[in-house]
Amino acid sequence: MATFYFAIVGTNDSPLYEAEFGAQREENKYLQQFVVHAALDLVDDAQFMTNACYLKTVDRYNDWSVSAYVTPSNIRLMLLHEAKAEEAIKSFFTACHELYMKTLLNPFYQPNATIQSQAFDIKVHTLSKKYLL
């Protein structure tokens, strides 16, 4: 089973949401966070090279690839993955962006605050099963 680590990173480079899908090993938890955080500089460089929100694979580390999606408000959706399914990853990012936009419409949510909603978490895991797993 493939391993996925998903993070939504705010405009101040702090994680707003994190989730893991598939087979996870405890010793890789912090390494996955480190690899995604290290790829943020590459995302910042790549976002000015294209007009598209989906940046495809921006970094690689051993068997892992980091794909990114940048919203118009500069929120970065990052996915660390082993599998090579560009169209499924793009669909996952698009659906997660729509879900994030619905969260922003909530009057009780402060922009750039961590997302602690269980409903959001359940919907992201449902989207991961639909598109990634």
Side-chain angles (χ1 to χ4, degrees):
M1 180 178 253
T3 300
F4 296 93
Y5 172 77
F6 175 64
I8 298 177
V9 181
T11 55
N12 55 0
D13 291 345
S14 63
L16 305 181
Y17 175 79
E18 297 176 292
E20 297 175 351
F21 317 117
Q24 297 295 326
R25 295 195 332 225
E26 188 61 34
E27 63 266 13
N28 288 339
K29 181 178 180 181
Y30 296 112
L31 180 61
Q32 291 172 339
Q33 291 174 345
F34 178 75
V35 171
V36 168
H37 191 75
L40 285 174
D41 292 333
L42 298 171
V43 171
D44 290 340
D45 293 341
Q47 74 182 6
F48 297 112
M49 302 293 184
T50 181
N51 290 336
C53 290
Y54 178 55
L55 302 178
K56 299 185 180 179
T57 300
V58 293
D59 194 13
R60 295 188 192 283
Y61 179 80
N62 291 341
D63 294 335
W64 292 330
S65 298
V66 179
S67 296
Y69 183 99
V70 181
T71 68
S73 60
N74 203 31
I75 299 295
R76 277 82 40 103
L77 284 71
M78 311 280 290
L79 183 69
L80 180 73
H81 56 92
E82 296 170 336
K84 191 85 166 152
E86 293 292 330
E87 196 59 38
I89 292 171
K90 181 179 180 181
S91 298
F92 174 74
F93 277 143
T94 304
C96 286
H97 180 215
E98 182 178 331
L99 185 60
Y100 178 72
M101 292 301 298
K102 289 178 182 177
T103 302
L104 282 177
L105 293 174
N106 182 346
F108 299 110
Y109 176 74
Q110 296 291 332
N112 273 327
T114 58
I115 301 171
Q116 299 174 348
S117 168
Q118 287 182 337
F120 185 88
D121 190 50
I122 290 169
K123 289 177 184 176
V124 169
H125 278 82
T126 302
L127 290 172
S128 74
K129 290 177 186 170
K130 181 177 179 181
Y131 293 110
L132 303 175
L133 299 176

